[in-house]
Amino acid sequence: MKKLLLATIVAASVANAAPNKLPNIVLLLADDLGYGELGCQGNPEIPTPQIDSLAENGVRFTQGYVTAAFCSASRAGLMTGRYQTRFGYEFNPIGAKNEDPNAGLPTREKTIADILVNAGYVTSLVGKWHLGGTAKYNPIRRGFDEFFGFMHEGHY
């Protein structure tokens, strides 16, 4: 289902783009953000004008739900377009487990970045990766052209 959703987003974006120009696609993922914590969701107490502008002027999905109760597994679902339990990624590597050379998004799984690069996009990831802390899982090796962020569950 998620692969269909991701393919639909890419296809719709490309179909609506100016000739010979791919539209920008920006996906935002915020860990531990409650549904009603943004201005665009009706919260009058916490100003979020830039996010509100993105919600008003972009494509907004209000019925999307994560497929796991913690960050690493839900990121794996988003990055692959698949339920992470179908490829054995039900855990949340923290602390020393981030250094385990076998803990990470399985390399046989294609990411949304792989798909976008094949469609002619230049891709980048800014922020938290948390899908493997060793070199073979680095975002640059998973379809991203640029990466600026941190590999583990948090930064110090």
Side-chain angles (χ1 to χ4, degrees):
M1 182 65 176
K2 282 188 179 182
K3 279 197 177 190
L4 178 61
L5 175 62
L6 295 175
T8 302
I9 291 169
V10 172
S13 297
V14 172
N16 292 321
N20 300 320
K21 183 162 175 26
L22 294 171
N24 293 328
I25 298 173
V26 178
L27 295 176
L28 301 175
L29 174 64
D31 285 349
D32 302 322
L33 179 68
Y35 183 83
E37 294 178 5
L38 302 172
C40 63
Q41 295 296 100
N43 187 331
E45 296 179 22
I46 303 171
T48 55
Q50 278 69 28
I51 293 174
D52 298 347
S53 177
L54 288 170
E56 184 177 331
N57 297 303
V59 177
R60 184 172 173 208
F61 298 96
T62 60
Q63 297 294 315
Y65 301 94
V66 296
T67 57
F70 41 84
C71 52
S72 189
S74 63
R75 287 170 188 280
L78 177 68
M79 285 292 156
T80 63
R82 300 183 63 208
Y83 289 115
Q84 63 281 352
T85 54
R86 293 187 176 165
F87 54 88
Y89 202 88
E90 303 91 8
F91 57 90
N92 202 40
I94 58 173
K97 289 184 180 179
N98 282 302
E99 301 300 330
D100 180 345
N102 296 312
L105 181 65
T107 55
R108 68 183 178 280
E109 296 297 323
K110 290 216 176 280
T111 68
I112 186 173
D114 294 320
I115 294 165
L116 290 172
V117 165
N118 287 338
Y121 278 86
V122 175
T123 58
S124 67
L125 177 86
V126 177
K128 179 179 172 180
W129 173 244
H130 202 194
L131 291 171
T134 57
K136 75 178 179 180
Y137 299 112
N138 190 290
I140 299 297
R141 294 184 174 165
R142 304 310 309 268
F144 289 96
D145 297 305
E146 299 286 336
F147 170 61
F148 180 79
F150 51 99
M151 299 286 288
H152 303 303
E153 75 271 10
H155 56 85
Y156 308 101

